[in-house]
Amino acid sequence: MTWEQLAYLAAALCFILALKGLSTPRYARAGNLIGAAGMALAVVTSYTTVDRNGLLILVAVVVGTVVGIPAARQVKMTAIPQMVALFNGVGGAAAALVALTEFLAGHDTGALFAIATVLTVLIGAVSFSGSVVTFLKLQEIMTTRPVLLPAGQVLAIGVAALSGLLALAVLFTDSNVLLVLLALAGLALGVLFVLPVGGADVPIAISLLNAFTGLAVAASGYVLGNTLLIVAGTLVGASGTILTRLMAQAMGRSLANILFGAFKATPPAAATDEQRTVRSGTVEDVAILLGYAHSVLVVPGYGLAVAQAQHAARELALLLESRGISVDYGIHPVAGRMPGHMNVLLAEADVPYENLKELDDVNPGIGSVDVVLVVGANDVVNPGARDEPSSPIYGMPIFDVDRAKAVVFMKRSMRPGFAGVDNSLLYNPKTTLLFGDAKDSLTKLLAAVKQV
């Protein structure tokens, strides 16, 4: 075995260990570092052995490093999902461009090479354009709701069929022009694929596109004759597929329903003139409620991340615990904008892992909880997902916080959550609304509880 093969084997082992570490919050940081070390080893090995223009590759690496590191450091935690979407798209585009370049350069090594090239170009193009659309949705540059074009379903099926025909034509003709047209069709297909996905389903689309990128990278590894790319791409594709399946299960819906359900959805009923009332409270009211509770459940959401209020939430929990009050955190699988979003935020505030409770741990005994403090979450506590068949999020497992003894709902305004669905919990007689920025409200609440 040559030193190159040994280096690639070591890098592949690093990637596997990284995935293992990233599967649990306790070892996620170590897993990330191991994965980075494996990638550095892979890059150095490829650079020293590749039969290409080394100077151009070095220039590209330097430019990417100079641009990427400062850009990544300036990204706020709340914008990490958008950055992930863009990085994923860049990966798909890179794989497609590499395969396209190899094909146009005439590096033909047979039928398998052509098949791998076609798959890489098509899947990579779909991943790139689809990831760009998810970025626009998450960044709220475009609407986060499903976008249904006139005859959109027919158009999407037509473009998919055209892509298949172009792929077959390239295999039989080796036409450069047809391969470029296939890439363009893939870009259109990626856009049409993601436009109908909206609201809380967008993170699932990102996970699926991540799996697509992995498959494109694996296929490009065959095009380039690089074993490590095949291994790394396969790992990404497999892990992305598993994550997509788990997230779909967390939403309580099939993947087909998430991706294509908007085409079959019925329009929401027209708003009535009925004015439902809400009960808002002051910081002092909530402080008294918390101060005399025996158990408190904190359900964090994207609002907590936006306000960077995790440290304030932790300080409040420590104060309550010092008075003998039990405090746990309810972590929903799709809370925030990406898997593990809330886990990462609360880990920054040194919240013990044993205090992070999942749905199955919380819901059976939630009726005995004295106060549920909902901080910036919305869709994951919406009773409509459980009780209203006409709701777009119907069937999604939620925290049944309306069954607790009392609910404090911290929100900036009455605007609906990311799914764009009104929340009946806001009008529940048990619910007290505390309006304002989460960090500011929690800081004031901490001071008020000290006076109780």
Side-chain angles (χ1 to χ4, degrees), residues 52 91-108 113-125 166 170 174-187 216 219-224:
R52 294 291 190 274
L97 288 174
V98 165
L100 188 62
T101 302
E102 289 291 302
F103 191 88
L104 296 179
H107 297 158
D108 190 356
F113 172 86
I115 293 173
T117 299
V118 166
L119 289 175
T120 305
V121 170
L122 178 58
I123 299 174
L166 286 171
V170 171
D174 290 336
S175 170
N176 294 345
V177 175
L178 290 179
L179 185 62
V180 173
L181 291 177
L182 176 63
L184 296 176
L187 292 174
S220 71
Y222 185 87
V223 172
L224 293 174

Side-chain angles (χ1 to χ4, degrees), residues 199-232:
D201 296 334
V202 174
I204 299 178
I206 293 177
S207 179
L208 183 59
L209 290 169
N210 184 61
F212 286 178
T213 296
L215 294 176
V217 170
S220 71
Y222 185 87
V223 172
L224 293 174
N226 189 303
T227 304
L228 186 61
L229 278 178
I230 297 175
V231 173

Side-chain angles (χ1 to χ4, degrees), residues 77-256:
M77 180 62 198
T78 52
I80 291 294
Q82 294 93 301
M83 185 181 74
V84 170
L86 280 182
F87 281 1
N88 180 68
V90 169
L97 288 174
V98 165
L100 188 62
T101 302
E102 289 291 302
F103 191 88
L104 296 179
H107 297 158
D108 190 356
T109 58
L112 290 179
F113 172 86
I115 293 173
T117 299
V118 166
L119 289 175
T120 305
V121 170
L122 178 58
I123 299 174
V126 169
S127 178
F128 171 69
S129 59
S131 296
V132 171
V133 175
T134 58
F135 165 79
L136 296 175
K137 284 177 176 282
L138 290 171
Q139 193 66 22
E140 298 187 10
I141 296 175
M142 65 178 293
T143 178
T144 59
R145 299 191 178 207
V147 177
L148 298 180
L149 301 176
Q153 191 172 19
V154 175
L155 182 60
I157 294 174
V159 173
L162 175 62
S163 300
L165 291 174
L166 286 171
L168 290 174
V170 171
L171 293 178
F172 285 106
T173 64
D174 290 336
S175 170
N176 294 345
V177 175
L178 290 179
L179 185 62
V180 173
L181 291 177
L182 176 63
L184 296 176
L187 292 174
L189 184 60
V191 173
L192 295 171
F193 177 72
V194 177
L195 278 180
V197 180
D201 296 334
V202 174
I204 299 178
I206 293 177
S207 179
L208 183 59
L209 290 169
N210 184 61
F212 286 178
T213 296
L215 294 176
V217 170
S220 71
Y222 185 87
V223 172
L224 293 174
N226 189 303
T227 304
L228 186 61
L229 278 178
I230 297 175
V231 173
T234 302
L235 289 173
V236 172
S239 59
T241 301
I242 294 171
L243 179 59
T244 301
R245 181 173 175 273
L246 292 175
M247 292 179 68
Q249 288 178 340
M251 292 290 289
R253 294 152 59 199
S254 67
L255 184 59

Side-chain angles (χ1 to χ4, degrees), residues 271-293:
T272 65
D273 293 331
E274 178 186 358
Q275 296 294 323
R276 293 185 290 178
T277 59
V278 298
R279 183 179 67 172
S280 62
T282 64
V283 169
E284 289 73 20
D285 296 331
V286 176
I288 293 174
L289 192 62
L290 292 174
Y292 288 96

